[in-house]
Amino acid sequence: MLIEVIDLVKIYKKGKYEIKANDNISFSINKGEIVGIIGPNGAGKTTLMKQIATLLIPDKGEILYKGISIVKHPQIIRGKCSFLLEGMQNVYHYLTGEANLLYFAYLNKIFGEKAKKRCEELLKRFGLYSVKDKYVFTYSAGMKKKLAIATCLINDPEIIFLDEPLSGLDPIASEEVTDFIRILVKEKEKTFIIASHNMKFIERVTDRVLWLKEGKIIMEGDTGNIKNLFKKKEIIFYLKNDNKASLRLLESNVELKKISNNILKVSVSLENKELLYFILKEFEVLNIEEMESDFEIIFKKLYDRGN
């Protein structure tokens, strides 16, 4: 076991009021795992990550790294982890791409030829070598994000924290960075702890998820298992439009989608035998598809359940 979090509590005080950002949280992470931390705004995701990275001190509880307390001995994990903050504060816009990496190498006590070689490797690996001498403010959003992630790898860390790594990116840049992170986690075999609101990204990248709400872990499990647990037992029918039969469906509050003048689309639960029988009897069925689970829809349902 690489990391173990035990009964962790973090309280923020504002005047007379106290907010439990983390409320008796316990979980563990194995070496090489990619763990996603999800939840609504204010759930305590970033606070939790910052405590594991020793950027915040817990009010109660314990965090162990390979069995040793990092609350009492924070130095044992520092230098072995990197943190990408939301908003890309990891990069300096008025330095070049190469200068950014050399600066972070210096902060990690990597000097001389070793630093230059490490920078060159990362710039080439991230597809930024051709723009290494350009100022970062000239980079696209996707390039800036890649450079920010590269600064997290300059010290070859064991654990990498990513806080909203797709924040501020357009769909094309998000897809590019998602694909890059997937390759990175596969090739590097490092431990990733990722906080994100982007459910499609979490589904594609992580092995396991922790769902936080109001500072507590509401659900925890393997990404694939959770998806299967909430898999919809529904099928999609594509039907030849029949005005009379369609009207009867609408009167029964069944949602129909008109694909064209002649084709209707409807989703039906396999448990609704009466509706299934009616559709098969009254309509000409053009095609049938299985309803695929959508991770974003799953967690919207979980959020609603937690309210």
Side-chain angles (χ1 to χ4, degrees), residues 245 248 274-285:
R248 286 183 61 186
E274 185 178 339
L275 181 57
L276 286 170
Y277 178 76
F278 173 77
I279 287 173
L280 293 171
K281 181 175 181 245
E282 299 294 334
F283 287 91
E284 180 182 342
V285 179

Side-chain angles (χ1 to χ4, degrees), residues 180-280:
F180 178 77
I181 292 174
R182 289 179 70 195
I183 294 169
L184 188 65
V185 297
K186 183 178 179 181
E187 289 183 356
K188 293 291 183 180
E189 295 183 349
K190 295 186 180 296
T191 303
F192 281 78
I193 303 174
I194 305 172
S196 179
H197 285 108
N198 190 311
M199 294 298 104
K200 290 181 180 178
F201 168 69
I202 289 291
E203 180 181 357
R204 290 177 62 184
V205 171
T206 63
D207 301 318
R208 187 159 58 94
V209 292
L210 306 175
W211 173 40
L212 268 62
K213 184 176 176 64
E214 296 177 353
K216 296 181 180 180
I217 295 178
I218 304 300
M219 179 172 285
E220 175 183 0
D222 292 347
T223 308
N225 289 344
I226 289 178
K227 185 175 178 181
N228 290 332
L229 179 66
F230 288 88
K231 189 170 184 179
K232 293 185 176 182
K233 296 180 179 178
E234 294 185 2
I235 54 176
I236 301 171
F237 285 104
Y238 291 89
L239 311 170
K240 186 173 181 180
N241 193 3
D242 181 291
N243 291 331
K244 187 176 179 180
S246 300
L247 185 60
R248 286 183 61 186
L249 282 180
L250 291 171
E251 288 172 349
S252 301
N253 294 319
V254 176
E255 187 175 345
L256 291 172
K257 185 174 181 180
K258 198 171 184 180
I259 304 299
S260 68
N261 288 333
N262 297 318
I263 301 174
L264 300 173
K265 178 182 176 182
V266 61
S267 301
V268 182
S269 169
L270 292 175
E271 296 176 359
N272 195 337
K273 307 293 185 186
E274 185 178 339
L275 181 57
L276 286 170
Y277 178 76
F278 173 77
I279 287 173
L280 293 171

Side-chain angles (χ1 to χ4, degrees), residues 153-164:
L153 298 176
I154 195 72
N155 61 330
D156 196 25
E158 187 174 6
I159 307 164
I160 301 167
F161 298 87
L162 301 177
D163 186 14
E164 296 293 351

Side-chain angles (χ1 to χ4, degrees), residues 4 37 39 46 50 64-65 69 77 81 92 106 108 116 132 151 159 163 171 173 198 218 225 233 251 261 263 289 301:
E4 189 174 5
I37 302 176
T46 301
K50 284 184 174 180
L64 304 179
Y65 167 72
S69 171
I77 197 172
C81 64
Y92 295 89
Y106 172 80
N108 284 279
K116 289 182 180 179
K132 68 183 181 70
T151 66
I159 307 164
D163 186 14
N198 190 311
I218 304 300
N225 289 344
K233 296 180 179 178
E251 288 172 349
N261 288 333
I263 301 174
E289 293 179 358
K301 286 191 171 184

Side-chain angles (χ1 to χ4, degrees), residues 295-307:
F295 214 59
E296 190 164 359
I297 292 173
I298 288 169
F299 281 95
K300 281 180 181 177
K301 286 191 171 184
L302 286 174
Y303 294 148
D304 292 341
R305 181 181 297 180
N307 291 328

Side-chain angles (χ1 to χ4, degrees), residues 33-46:
E33 256 195 312
I34 303 118
V35 177
I37 302 176
I38 63 173
N41 289 331
K45 302 185 296 294
T46 301

